[in-house]
Amino acid sequence: CGHLATWGKAELDHLFVSPSLAGQVTAVTLDRAPVDAGFSDHAALVLDLVLSPELTPHAWDEEAFAEEIGNRHGPAAREVVEKLVSWADQKERELSAAAGVTAKVLTRFPTNGVTTEPELMFPVDLNLEPRASQPTISIHGDGQVVVWFGGMHCPPFDADTARDGLRRALNEMTGVHLHGRQASGWPRFPIALLEDPANLVQLVAVLDRIATESHTVASIEVVRPDVDSDPAPTRETPEPSTGAD
């Protein structure tokens, strides 16, 4: 690198590999052909690796997850993930503004986060004590969308009838057939079904309903007075007998 004053004092050309690939490097060599041909005063660095076919565990974020889904299931599936993440971002801002806070999150990865088989979850954080969240769906790396009926323990969707209403709404999507008994479980369907724009619109409508109604009920619970903390005097006064059983 004769045109720079740093020649002889610094290493200017590098190849970088991730920690998971570092153990698979077998050789680093120099190819002077570009210099000898007069194309450059930089000799090419050549890295040899013996790659393992096994997937490498690593941490995930929304962008990396969408890319992984695209690699495994095609660009249309990646677009589905990106649109759902976009909806979550917008809904987060809406709920945060309504609650007067800025810490609500509608996308989350499992606690350990480092895995070869990622899972993107869409929980709704609620203003409750102790802290709680209402699950909605999750998307797995294998392309399955899981509906978390069995994990909905916060009102109003802790009630069987409310979850069954969600089930019927999801069944309006073409290709989705969730049985009544699945309203208390974790049914699933392939993400490919959401490549149909009408299906995706219907799913977003269901997710929006869960987020809005769960947040609304939680807000009511927070401001509702605790009747047990201030018992009325009439509690200690027996009610008059009507003579009826």
Side-chain angles (χ1 to χ4, degrees):
C1 188
H3 65 285
L4 293 178
T6 54
W7 170 247
K9 299 179 182 179
E11 297 290 340
L12 299 179
D13 297 311
H14 296 77
L15 289 168
F16 294 92
V17 294
S18 65
S20 60
L21 288 179
Q24 301 179 59
V25 175
T26 58
V28 180
T29 56
L30 204 63
D31 182 1
R32 293 190 53 84
V35 177
D36 296 339
F39 294 132
S40 174
D41 58 357
H42 287 252
L45 297 178
V46 181
L47 182 71
D48 293 334
L49 304 105
V50 176
L51 299 179
S52 167
E54 298 180 0
L55 297 175
T56 302
H58 61 85
W60 299 88
D61 57 24
E62 288 83 353
E63 183 177 355
F65 180 81
E67 181 177 357
E68 182 73 7
I69 290 294
N71 291 338
R72 296 191 191 188
H73 308 288
R78 173 176 181 163
E79 186 176 354
V80 167
V81 173
E82 291 172 340
K83 288 182 176 179
L84 288 173
V85 169
S86 178
W87 165 81
D89 289 341
Q90 180 179 350
K91 196 65 179 180
E92 286 170 15
R93 292 191 293 271
E94 177 187 323
L95 295 181
S96 296
V101 298
T102 58
K104 290 188 174 295
V105 177
L106 267 73
T107 55
R108 190 170 297 148
F109 291 88
T111 304
N112 58 19
V114 179
T115 178
T116 60
E117 291 299 323
E119 176 187 7
L120 177 57
M121 307 166 68
F122 292 82
V124 182
D125 289 339
L126 303 175
N127 296 332
L128 293 174
E129 291 296 339
R131 184 177 178 181
S133 64
Q134 185 84 282
T136 60
I137 64 168
S138 64
I139 304 175
H140 292 241
D142 63 1
Q144 291 293 307
V145 180
V146 179
V147 185
W148 281 56
F149 287 143
M152 293 183 180
H153 301 310
C154 297
F157 299 106
D158 54 342
D160 294 341
T161 54
R163 292 194 305 275
D164 194 61
L166 298 177
R167 179 191 65 84
R168 292 195 302 270
L170 291 173
N171 279 346
E172 294 181 17
M173 296 189 295
T174 302
V176 175
H177 305 285
L178 307 182
H179 298 291
R181 63 180 180 274
Q182 293 179 295
S184 296
W186 285 263
R188 59 185 61 206
F189 57 85
I191 194 173
L193 294 180
L194 298 178
E195 295 173 13
D196 180 339
N199 281 355
L200 184 57
V201 167
Q202 180 65 12
L203 175 65
V204 167
V206 172
L207 296 179
D208 202 88
R209 175 185 170 187
I210 298 172
T212 300
E213 294 186 16
S214 298
H215 179 261
T216 299
V217 172
S219 299
I220 294 173
E221 291 293 329
V222 168
V223 301
R224 176 180 297 169
D226 186 352
V227 295
D228 291 332
S229 65
D230 185 20
T234 55
R235 286 194 173 187
E236 298 179 0
T237 304
E239 295 184 0
S241 174
T242 62
D245 291 335

